[in-house]
Amino acid sequence: TKNISEVAEILEKYSNFGINTNLRLAHFLAQVREEVGAELKPISENLNYTEEGLKKTFKVFRDNPQLAEKYGKDEDTPKADPVKIANYAYANKLGNGNPDSDKDGDIDEDDDGYKYRGAGVLQITGKFNFEEVQRRIDKYAPTSNIDIILSPKDIHTLEGSILAGLGFWIWKDLYKIADMGKTEVNVDNVTKVINLYTESYLNRRKHFIKIRDLIN
């Protein structure tokens, strides 16, 4: 697809982030493929939960079922309130603030949970992680004009989405794990850093094998 060629150009442009061998590329793209899909489009975390889905997924909604009822979707409410869901789900963790800090109902600087919801090709989440990733963008791509803190919309562009993934990759030294080899264990070790509790370990190994064989 058109996106794939653009992705290749962006990765080549920012090769100093360490995705500069076929093995590293296969590891990186295997994770990206599972996180955002085959077209590698920039997407953000889907927060359109049902009331029951909220209680199943997030402790704050299990402990406060009235919030799940208020913000989740049901037969009478076809769409959930993603801003409020994110603000409560990610409040007071990952560097985010309190969910009640937003008083005016608009999406603004108070909405840490929503602003720093899962995004980028590796779906990083939380203000702290966004800030650490931006530090790497500033260091390794100082002329990119991408700033996912001052301009949160940047992470929802293709270039910003990929740069966020590259920033996370080099921050966590994932190229070192990738360099350990081509075995399924190495894929799992990368997955543990990106999404420890995911049920997609097998999928990521399959993606890796397919991509590795294509690019070698």
Side-chain angles (χ1 to χ4, degrees), residues 191-192 194-201:
T191 302
K192 286 175 185 175
I194 291 172
N195 196 339
L196 178 61
Y197 299 111
T198 183
E199 297 178 354
S200 62
Y201 280 82

Side-chain angles (χ1 to χ4, degrees), residues 115-142:
K115 277 168 59 180
Y116 306 117
R117 67 196 185 280
V121 293
L122 295 181
Q123 294 290 284
I124 60 167
T125 306
K127 187 176 183 180
F128 171 78
N129 289 333
F130 272 60
E131 288 173 339
E132 289 295 329
V133 164
Q134 185 59 45
R135 287 192 183 96
R136 274 69 187 182
I137 294 173
D138 291 342
K139 180 177 180 179
Y140 294 99

Side-chain angles (χ1 to χ4, degrees), residues 103-117:
K103 302 300 182 186
D104 57 16
D106 295 329
I107 301 171
D108 54 30
E109 67 273 6
D110 299 320
D111 291 310
D112 283 356
Y114 187 73
K115 277 168 59 180
Y116 306 117
R117 67 196 185 280

Side-chain angles (χ1 to χ4, degrees), residues 128-180:
F128 171 78
N129 289 333
F130 272 60
E131 288 173 339
E132 289 295 329
V133 164
Q134 185 59 45
R135 287 192 183 96
R136 274 69 187 182
I137 294 173
D138 291 342
K139 180 177 180 179
Y140 294 99
T143 61
S144 69
N145 293 318
I146 297 292
D147 193 319
I148 64 176
I149 302 297
L150 295 178
S151 179
K153 70 180 187 303
D154 284 358
I155 199 170
H156 304 293
T157 65
L158 184 61
E159 185 165 350
S161 180
I162 292 169
L163 264 178
L166 292 173
F168 183 87
W169 193 267
I170 204 163
W171 169 32
K172 297 294 185 178
D173 292 333
L174 288 173
Y175 60 91
K176 292 180 180 178
I177 300 176
D179 284 351
M180 290 178 182

Side-chain angles (χ1 to χ4, degrees), residues 29-46:
L29 290 179
Q31 299 294 328
V32 171
R33 168 66 180 81
E34 184 61 28
E35 292 289 341
V36 300
E39 294 187 14
L40 310 185
K41 289 181 178 179
I43 63 171
S44 59
E45 183 179 2
N46 183 358

